[in-house]
Amino acid sequence: MSSGNNMEMAAAEQLYYELPAEKVLEIFGAGPDGLSASQAQELLEQYGPNELAPPKKISSWIIFFRQFQNLLIIILIAATGISFFLGEHLDAYVILVIILACTVLGFVQEYRAEQAAAALQKLAAPEATVLRDGVEQVVPARDVVPGDVLVLHTGDRVAADGRLLEAVNLKNDEALLTGESTAVNKTAAPDPRPHLPIGDRKGMVFGGTVVTYGRGKAVVTATGMKTEFGSIARMLGEMPQEKTPLEARMATIGLVLSILCLSVSAGAMIFGVLRGHNWLQMLIWGISLAVAAVPEALPAVVTGALAIGTTRMARRNAIVKRLPAVETMGCTTVICTDKTGTLTKNEMTVRRLFLDNRQLAIGGLGYEPAGVFSFDDNEIAPGDDPVLMEAVRTGMLCNDAVLTETAEGAWTVQGDPTEGALVVLGRKAGLHEEVLARDWPRVAEIPFDSERKRMTTFHRDSAGILACTKGAPESLLPRCSRMLAGIGERPLSEGDRQVIMSEAAHLAGEALRVLGLAYRRWEAVPESPAEEMETDLIWLGLVGMMDPPRTEAKEAVRKCFQAGIRVIMVTGDHPDTALAVGREIGLVLPKRTNAAVLTGTELSRLSDDDLAAILPRAPVFARVAPEHKLRLVNLLKAQGEIVAMTGDGVNDAPALKRADIGVAMGITGTEVTKETADMILADDNFATLVAAVEEGRAIFDNIKKYLIFLLSANLGEITVLTGAFFLGMPLPLVALQILWVNLTTDGLPALALGVDPKAPDIMNRPPRPPDEGVFTNTVIGLMAVITAYLTMVLIPLFHHYLHGFLAVMGDQELSLARAQTMVFVTLVLAELVNAFNCRSEYHSLFTVGFFANRLLLGSVVLSLAMIVAVVQIPALAALFHAVPLGWKEWLFAAFLAFLLLPTVELAKWLVRQTSRRTASGSQPRDKNGRVISSGPR
């Protein structure tokens, strides 16, 4: 039987970590000395190179031509061609510019989105050390094959998944894959438990992870796309890019408007021909009507509003990669957040010390060496406490980690994070590694051993040899005979031992990683076995450490609850650790027990229906695998939630891509998550999400204002044109005048509405329902009022000037031009007034403030200047088929336009009165009738 068949049978029956190392070697046809060169070459040809399959590339041309599938764009292209055919070149050129601008913007966004899975390649190890023919060789990582024996040392990036054959104090950092905040102790012993989560497979190493301590050997069990990283890449490649809620709404609006304009235009053209009008004249008129109905500026203005929102978000450290994600953040109903590096700093920090029967608290977060020591909430000076200084010095001497400060001022640790936390503790107490290394040089050591669970180093000083030991309390305490107290060394009683172990259990119950510290004096370095040298020690105390929550995380979670957003922690870390962090940031009620946490193993046992029923009551998920995160996102989306997923590790990437909006960490995030995500938090601060939600809600409000403004104006134009036609009148506006109205009044003021100030209660509202569209009853009513006003004012105005003094005198052509100019000017002025009406669909303009949006004021002034120039400058007037007007005509047009303001104010007042009478319900509501969100679970 071939080795390939052996491997497939083993994978089907048992996982490799369950099998003895010798059995795994047998399956792969290898020995302890690795493969022969010929075997390796044969397997390389059989299984292919050890690299991730590149993502399927889509031609740039295909991406570009996709942009022309939009029905609005197709209609505009048709209008451009007809305009060229009829000699209306200026109209055609203007429409063409709009088409190109929209397609180029869409192309850039989609092209960038296609880069997602490619960044996984950067996490592959470039080289690997393997045993070939019994000799260690450094080979390109892509040449590693199943059956190769990897040789692992501290600092190595693992080249492929493998079953450990040998592990000497081996620790692996698997945070990128599992979310585990601390390095994982590895062992070569088999584990018979079936279907363990990746984070609990102590006998395996995984490609892309990093060896932080010790050394080992592993037989390769999977390469390339069959590794755990490969499965993530495969999930990324299989998931299509979904439309955001805004994209879906805009597509619906565009489709409805397109069908409406085509139906009205075609119907009116046919009706006109049947009434005896010239078909060419009707074709021109139909194009004019289509230009009035089609919102040419809709894609450009929505994109512009989102781009402005993107800039505002960037100032608040939220970098948006896909423009529609700006709005999606605003309607998010659930945030599934990773713990490590997102809610926490991913930097182990000493939080508690238990010395001489006293529990001390240590301030500061992460690796920055700043923080105070306190006892009973009173700050103490470390230098005045000899027990404290001895414990801190012991922790720094029995240590191999290095603390460094980057050029940007960030602090990092090279080595084991647990040892790094002890170095930072020493720095906080005023000690420095260089001074300690000079005054207490290391002369020998007993490395950490997973069986002993201790590490001891020997240092020379003027008094002889100082032995410093750290380890698990249950392993270290029985080897101590005395303890250091404030009065000096004293015998360690049985009562002392009980108190210490009780405190160790208490600290562990708070999800702190607990270490014991001890020391002993020798005249010279002993030559006895380790077990004998680590006896008769002097106990110093306990150290409790954890990856602490960010200081801003608690307030950010509270604001999410206030805004009606559920927060769910989804992590690969230990359940106790996840629960402790959840309690500390207010995600879990203090009295809740482990019932608040579901593990990946429990998730695997639950059906989708059972899990869906539990989801509303489960705030924390721990020990989860990438497929679990993906399943949670899918179930939440099936329940109608708008899901945001935050994360930084490779394990988060598939869920980020599947979520409605993926949010990656900018500092600790991998390139994979950054490429996959829709948004990147530049400061890795969970609180920045709150700002993103706030900006997202404001952006949607402003887009909604624009749509009310745009559609009420366009519908008004349609009713005026069709109404005049069916009453037997000429066209009130020519095509170029319509295009001018749409591009100037609908363009500049609309962009100004896109940066309208946020409503003060914007973060006290619950998220709007995912299925709630733009066209609420209030919006429809407001648009109807504006459309009716424009129709009832402009058609009589056109009739009056069409049959006025000039018509009576027989100058029909000039009479028509003046009538069209009056409609043109009055419509422009009315739409400028309407821009102020649309600043709120509910509140009065006098409440939101007439001068609050200075950009809107500036755009209105500029639009006024442009319309005056177009009408009063003869050359421009001739181009736009207009005639100059007198001051009385301008004043009359301004009066008619201004009357729109009190008309809409009256409509809003009626809406407010109706809302106050009907705002009721069983759920708690604020003064505006909005539901108030619940808090932690």
Side-chain angles (χ1 to χ4, degrees):
M1 184 180 294
S2 71
S3 62
N5 290 334
N6 286 340
M7 292 158 54
E8 290 170 4
M9 289 183 61
E13 295 169 1
Q14 280 185 301
L15 296 172
Y16 294 119
Y17 70 85
E18 300 177 53
L19 302 173
E22 297 77 14
K23 178 65 175 176
V24 179
L25 282 171
E26 179 184 333
I27 291 172
F28 287 95
D33 293 333
L35 301 170
S36 66
S38 59
Q39 281 180 303
Q41 183 60 38
E42 180 182 337
L43 289 170
L44 184 62
E45 294 173 1
Q46 179 180 352
Y47 293 104
N50 175 36
E51 55 190 13
L52 301 180
K56 295 180 180 178
K57 291 188 177 181
I58 300 176
S59 167
S60 300
W61 288 108
I62 293 177
I63 296 174
F64 180 74
F65 286 118
R66 276 180 186 171
Q67 313 310 312
F68 294 92
Q69 295 176 357
N70 186 306
L71 187 54
L72 284 177
I73 298 295
I74 293 172
I75 292 173
L76 289 176
I77 291 173
T80 303
I82 295 173
S83 297
F84 269 120
F85 177 74
L86 297 176
E88 300 290 341
H89 293 168
L90 181 60
D91 298 30
Y93 285 131
V94 173
I95 300 174
L96 192 59
V97 168
I98 294 172
I99 293 171
L100 289 175
C102 295
T103 52
V104 168
L105 283 171
F107 168 78
V108 171
Q109 291 180 54
E110 190 171 345
Y111 180 79
R112 290 181 62 187
E114 292 293 334
Q115 309 302 309
L120 277 167
Q121 306 284 350
K122 299 180 181 179
L123 288 175
E127 294 180 330
T129 303
V130 297
L131 285 176
R132 295 265 175 93
D133 296 316
V135 179
E136 286 191 16
Q137 300 179 23
V138 177
V139 300
R142 69 186 307 275
D143 292 344
V144 171
V145 296
D148 258 327
V149 174
L150 294 174
V151 180
L152 304 172
H153 297 284
T154 301
D156 287 350
R157 187 178 291 276
V158 182
D161 292 0
R163 170 68 168 88
L164 282 167
L165 305 174
E166 175 185 309
V168 180
N169 307 323
L170 186 66
K171 294 184 181 181
N172 261 36
D173 180 359
E174 298 177 352
L176 295 180
L177 191 61
T178 66
E180 181 87 42
S181 57
T182 58
V184 180
N185 290 313
K186 294 295 182 177
T187 175
D191 190 330
R193 294 176 295 171
H195 307 298
L196 286 177
I198 292 174
D200 289 336
R201 298 178 187 179
K202 303 297 177 65
M204 300 289 293
V205 289
F206 302 101
T209 61
V210 178
V211 178
T212 61
Y213 194 85
R215 56 186 174 83
K217 293 179 181 177
V219 57
V220 175
T221 57
T223 58
M225 294 299 289
K226 293 188 177 181
T227 63
E228 293 297 333
F229 268 52
S231 66
I232 293 173
R234 189 165 52 252
M235 281 190 281
L236 283 175
E238 291 171 353
M239 281 184 285
Q241 186 68 52
E242 295 187 345
K243 286 186 176 181
T244 68
L246 179 66
E247 288 173 319
R249 291 190 186 104
M250 290 301 103
T252 302
I253 292 171
L255 181 62
V256 170
L257 290 177
S258 300
I259 294 173
L260 176 65
C261 79
L262 288 176
S263 301
V264 172
S265 299
M269 287 168 57
I270 294 171
F271 184 75
V273 171
L274 292 176
R275 286 181 57 181
H277 289 280
N278 180 273
W279 73 269
L280 184 59
Q281 182 184 8
M282 285 298 95
L283 180 61
I284 297 172
W285 187 85
I287 292 172
S288 301
L289 195 59
V291 170
V294 176
E296 300 95 338
L298 176 60
V301 173
V302 170
T303 300
L306 292 174
I308 293 169
T310 298
T311 303
R312 282 159 59 169
M313 281 188 168
R315 294 195 193 107
R316 303 179 76 168
N317 291 315
I319 301 167
V320 177
K321 290 179 59 188
R322 294 184 65 240
L323 288 182
V326 177
E327 182 272 341
T328 309
M329 197 71 231
C331 62
T332 297
T333 59
V334 178
I335 296 176
C336 294
T337 174
D338 189 26
K339 176 188 72 68
T340 306
T342 309
L343 292 170
T344 67
K345 291 181 68 68
N346 196 19
E347 298 175 358
M348 290 295 288
T349 305
V350 175
R351 305 288 294 274
R352 297 284 188 272
L353 290 174
F354 186 70
L355 311 172
D356 192 16
N357 291 327
R358 300 170 299 152
Q359 188 180 103
L360 307 183
I362 294 87
L365 294 176
Y367 293 148
E368 182 179 1
V372 299
F373 295 74
S374 58
F375 174 62
D376 284 344
D377 295 327
N378 296 314
E379 184 178 341
I380 63 174
D384 297 337
D385 190 321
V387 180
L388 171 60
M389 293 305 293
E390 189 68 39
V392 170
R393 184 181 67 181
T394 298
M396 290 191 78
L397 288 174
C398 188
N399 205 309
D400 291 318
V402 178
L403 179 67
T404 57
E405 184 178 12
T406 66
E408 295 78 21
W411 292 88
T412 62
V413 163
Q414 297 175 355
D416 184 76
T418 299
E419 294 191 335
L422 294 174
V423 173
V424 174
L425 176 70
R427 288 281 194 99
K428 291 177 181 178
L431 301 180
H432 290 274
E433 304 93 305
E434 296 83 2
V435 176
L436 293 179
R438 181 194 66 203
D439 296 343
W440 285 273
R442 184 184 300 188
V443 293
E445 69 175 276
I446 306 174
F448 176 85
D449 183 278
S450 57
E451 293 182 4
R452 291 170 36 251
K453 298 182 180 180
R454 297 184 300 276
M455 172 183 177
T456 299
T457 56
F458 298 87
H459 307 265
R460 178 177 290 111
D461 61 10
S462 57
I465 298 296
L466 173 66
C468 300
T469 304
K470 70 172 185 287
E474 67 275 13
S475 169
L476 183 59
L477 187 61
R479 296 185 166 276
C480 298
S481 59
R482 290 167 293 168
M483 66 177 290
L484 183 64
I487 57 173
E489 296 180 11
R490 67 173 179 82
L492 186 63
S493 68
E494 188 59 32
D496 291 328
R497 296 178 189 275
Q498 292 178 0
V499 169
I500 291 170
M501 292 309 298
S502 174
E503 184 63 25
H506 174 71
L507 292 175
E510 294 183 353
L512 295 176
R513 184 174 187 180
V514 185
L515 288 178
L517 297 174
Y519 74 98
R520 179 179 175 179
R521 283 282 177 183
W522 297 84
E523 293 182 359
V525 177
E527 296 182 0
S528 309
E531 290 295 320
E532 296 181 12
M533 289 190 284
E534 294 174 333
T535 57
D536 199 23
L537 301 175
I538 301 166
W539 177 260
L540 285 169
L542 297 170
V543 181
M545 61 183 72
M546 71 178 297
D547 176 19
R550 295 177 178 273
T551 53
E552 309 89 348
K554 185 174 183 177
E555 177 64 12
V557 169
R558 186 193 67 79
K559 286 186 176 181
C560 285
F561 289 146
Q562 179 180 307
I565 300 170
R566 286 171 57 196
V567 180
I568 300 175
M569 183 196 302
V570 186
T571 177
D573 214 337
H574 194 278
D576 291 342
T577 305
L579 181 62
V581 172
R583 284 174 177 158
E584 192 164 341
I585 64 174
L587 188 59
V588 180
L589 291 171
K591 294 182 180 180
R592 286 202 69 176
T593 62
N594 286 341
V597 182
L598 279 177
T599 65
T601 303
E602 292 167 329
L603 279 178
S604 298
R605 290 199 298 260
L606 291 171
S607 67
D608 282 352
D609 290 340
D610 292 338
L611 181 55
I614 293 173
L615 268 177
R617 305 188 305 276
V620 179
F621 293 86
R623 275 289 188 255
V624 294
E627 58 269 22
H628 294 141
K629 296 185 179 186
L630 200 54
R631 185 183 176 202
L632 289 173
V633 172
N634 285 331
L635 283 175
L636 287 167
K637 293 184 70 171
Q639 292 176 344
E641 305 285 1
I642 300 296
V643 183
M645 172 73 187
T646 72
D648 58 354
V650 175
N651 59 316
D652 299 321
L656 259 64
K657 187 171 182 179
R658 181 72 180 95
D660 294 288
I661 177 166
V663 184
M665 302 298 111
I667 298 173
T668 59
T670 62
E671 289 300 317
V672 185
T673 30
K674 291 177 186 177
E675 288 292 340
T676 305
D678 303 294
M679 181 184 297
I680 299 171
L681 302 184
D683 57 358
D684 283 17
N685 194 334
F686 184 75
T688 304
L689 278 177
V690 178
V693 170
E694 185 177 359
E695 290 293 344
R697 291 185 173 191
I699 290 298
F700 181 78
D701 277 2
N702 292 344
I703 290 175
K704 195 173 182 180
K705 295 171 189 177
Y706 163 70
L707 286 173
I708 297 172
F709 175 56
L710 168 79
L711 298 180
S712 61
N714 280 18
L715 288 174
E717 293 171 25
I718 292 173
T719 55
V720 169
L721 289 169
T722 55
F725 172 75
F726 287 115
L727 290 173
M729 301 180 189
L731 289 177
L733 294 172
V734 299
L736 195 57
Q737 290 173 342
I738 296 171
L739 201 60
W740 178 265
V741 171
N742 287 5
L743 287 180
T744 56
T745 60
D746 292 3
L748 293 175
L751 283 175
L753 286 174
V755 292
D756 208 42
K758 294 184 287 287
D761 64 339
I762 200 165
M763 288 301 288
N764 293 327
R765 314 172 188 169
R768 63 185 183 279
D771 57 350
E772 179 184 293
V774 174
F775 302 112
T776 61
N777 291 336
T778 301
V779 170
I780 293 172
L782 196 60
M783 288 168 50
V785 168
I786 296 169
T787 300
Y789 178 85
L790 292 175
T791 304
M792 290 187 293
V793 167
L794 294 177
I795 290 180
L797 177 69
F798 182 61
H799 181 271
H800 171 74
Y801 276 87
L802 185 64
H803 301 288
F805 176 75
L806 291 172
V808 173
M809 296 299 292
D811 194 344
Q812 296 290 340
E813 186 176 343
L814 185 58
S815 175
L816 175 60
R818 186 166 295 276
Q820 288 174 332
T821 303
M822 278 300 294
V823 172
F824 181 38
V825 168
T826 306
L827 180 60
V828 169
L829 297 181
E831 291 195 16
L832 294 179
V833 171
N834 195 33
F836 291 96
N837 284 329
C838 294
R839 286 197 57 219
S840 173
E841 66 187 271
Y842 183 82
H843 296 293
S844 166
L845 175 62
F846 303 101
T847 300
V848 298
F850 189 83
F851 298 101
N853 190 337
R854 295 183 180 180
L855 188 59
L856 179 59
L857 289 172
S859 67
V860 166
V861 170
L862 181 59
S863 294
L864 280 173
M866 293 168 68
I867 188 62
V868 170
V870 162
V871 172
Q872 297 303 119
I873 297 174
L876 291 177
L879 184 64
F880 283 88
H881 308 283
V883 295
L885 300 177
W887 68 271
K888 290 182 180 180
E889 291 167 312
W890 277 100
L891 192 60
F892 183 48
F895 172 74
L896 293 175
F898 185 76
L899 281 180
L900 180 59
L901 180 60
T903 303
V904 174
E905 284 293 315
L906 177 61
K908 290 181 181 179
W909 180 81
L910 291 173
V911 169
R912 290 195 296 274
Q913 297 307 309
T914 304
S915 176
R916 290 189 181 116
R917 286 195 298 269
T918 59
S920 62
S922 59
Q923 291 179 294
R925 295 174 181 264
D926 61 20
K927 63 181 180 180
N928 294 317
R930 300 188 178 99
V931 178
I932 298 173
S933 171
S934 60
R937 289 147 286 158

